[in-house]
Amino acid sequence: MEQRFDVTERYAEGAQFLAGRLRGGTSGRTQAVVDPATGDEVYRYELAGPAEVDAAVEAAGRAFPEWAGATPGERSDTLHRFAAVLAEDAGELAFAESLNCGKPLKLSKEFDVPGSVDNAAFFAGAARHLEGKAAGEYSPDHTSAVRREPIGVVGSIAPWNYPLQMAAWKVLPAIAAGNTVVLKPAEITPLTSLMFAQAATRAGLPDGVLNIVSGAGRDAGEHLVGHPGVAMTSFTGSTGVGKRVAEIATGTVKRLHLELGGKAPFVVFDDADLEAAVHGAVAGALINSGQDCTAATRAYVQRPLHDAFVAGVADLMATVRLGDPFDPSTDLGPLISHTQRDRVAGFVERARGYARVVTGGEAPQGDLAKGAYYRPTLIAGAAQDSEIVQAEIFGPVLAVLPFDSDDEGIALANDTLYGLAASAWSRDVYRTGRATREIKAGCVWVNDHIPIISEMPHGGAKASGYGKDMSAYSFEEYTQVKHVMYDITGTARKDWHRTVFGDRA
Ligand code: NAD
């Protein structure tokens, strides 16, 4: 069950979390937090301005030496307690995530919250397993050792689609490795990031190790990325904003981690289990109302199965129940906002000019008309180079295209700017094996689409960015490797000095 609370009362002091306490912003601009299922404002706060970003970076800078100097075991203990506190808060976290994002409660309860708890538990263990090469005498005169060190203050920027999980993915590997963090959630979804940081403090994370600035992208976000006190920018969001972030970060030569947009292909070969593919496509396209960077968005179906697949997906989409996110029978909630719903509707309206809307393609009327709802939508007959097939829509919309040869199916799957995730559906291990080798993406599922686990990396190729979230691979992002070389000869005049002094060495 969810545990409800009054957001305005709880965050009366403001939506900035600096050095362990809540504060208001000083930007002079306020931001509404809206329940997208009703359009009602549930909270309003003053956005962070440059002063809050500066204060957060300063707090993170102050906290860095002690946190970086803690032993892996000490950091691990704190993260274990953090996982436990998050688990205690599960009911409130699920409530806030569903209220702020319109996610069906069953998604918040079974995916967002337990996924974040598991991430904390994973990084509590992983903190004690930082990898490096063996120390040794790679030159006869020296002992070499590798130190893996934290980078410093990390400025993290997160999107609105999975606010709690994105906070977890950005923050946990960074602090496990000894960094301190300033996290900027999307300004429309600050609630569970604040709750996450408060839970960390209750678990004993020292003040200043994790700070939250709830501010707008253009000012607080850009100020954070350009800040000279920030050593690394870790960004998850759209490819367009990612490019802007990269430009700004270059000015101060920051390390960059970019998790960007996606347009995942879903490739169905003609020997696939049709029922599995149909269910997989509908679930993979509709999860989180399609606002998932790995959602199935382009189904390529080998011609013998194409028409049956289209009919099966249309029938199944028609059974999906839109409704109140807190009603246990609801399958699909609203989109994040009316703006996003209208953006999605725009893509579909334009597609009517060149493709067939098989089902959906409208906002529901009646009780749901106030919310940002949009019906599950299936589009057939679009050309590969059309907008609906190439652009990231971020809504409950699936396009289906036929293909003939396996070569063609794989080539079509690779034919967008993006390379975040993909799936291949077949009973033939050689076909799926080939697809996993040849599809350019950070993840390829075989006979499934969407599941993620803390132990395995998540991150893109091509315009979907670079770097990995989750898993031990994320330590490559949040640590730097230092080579330490000890002379072991004890001599004043080293053998190699001949290259400078010649026979006087
Ligand atoms: P967005 O790019 O609009 O915003 C992301 C974040 O960047 C927000 O916090 C926003 O305030 C901030 N921002 C906006 N402009 C900025 C600027 N000029 N400088 C600094 N920060 C700025 O993305 P969104 O609409 O919030 O989220 C949806 C996008 O996120 C989709 O493209 C989706 O694919 C992507 N996403 C990717 C992953 C991944 O792991 N690759 C995961 C989730 C979401």
Side-chain angles (χ1 to χ4, degrees), residues 157-160 184 187 222 235-238 260-261 293 392 394 458:
I157 297 185
W160 46 253
K184 193 200 85 58
E187 54 272 43
E222 295 203 2
F235 173 83
T236 299
S238 59
L260 308 178
C293 50
E392 187 180 40
F394 235 52
H458 169 93

Side-chain angles (χ1 to χ4, degrees), residues 315-389:
D315 286 351
L316 193 56
M317 277 186 168
T319 68
V320 168
R321 296 160 298 188
L322 278 69
D324 173 1
F326 292 102
D327 180 337
S329 69
T330 292
D331 301 321
L332 196 71
L335 279 80
I336 189 70
S337 65
H338 289 77
T339 311
Q340 180 66 7
R341 195 267 310 274
D342 295 345
R343 188 175 163 273
V344 170
F347 280 110
V348 175
E349 287 315 306
R350 290 191 293 281
R352 288 186 198 281
Y354 56 79
R356 184 165 62 91
V357 177
V358 182
T359 187
E362 59 179 12
Q365 298 306 311
D367 289 352
L368 301 181
K370 277 194 315 173
Y373 289 89
Y374 197 71
R375 289 202 186 282
T377 300
L378 179 66
I379 294 185
Q384 173 65 14
D385 63 357
S386 61
E387 182 188 54
I388 206 89
V389 177

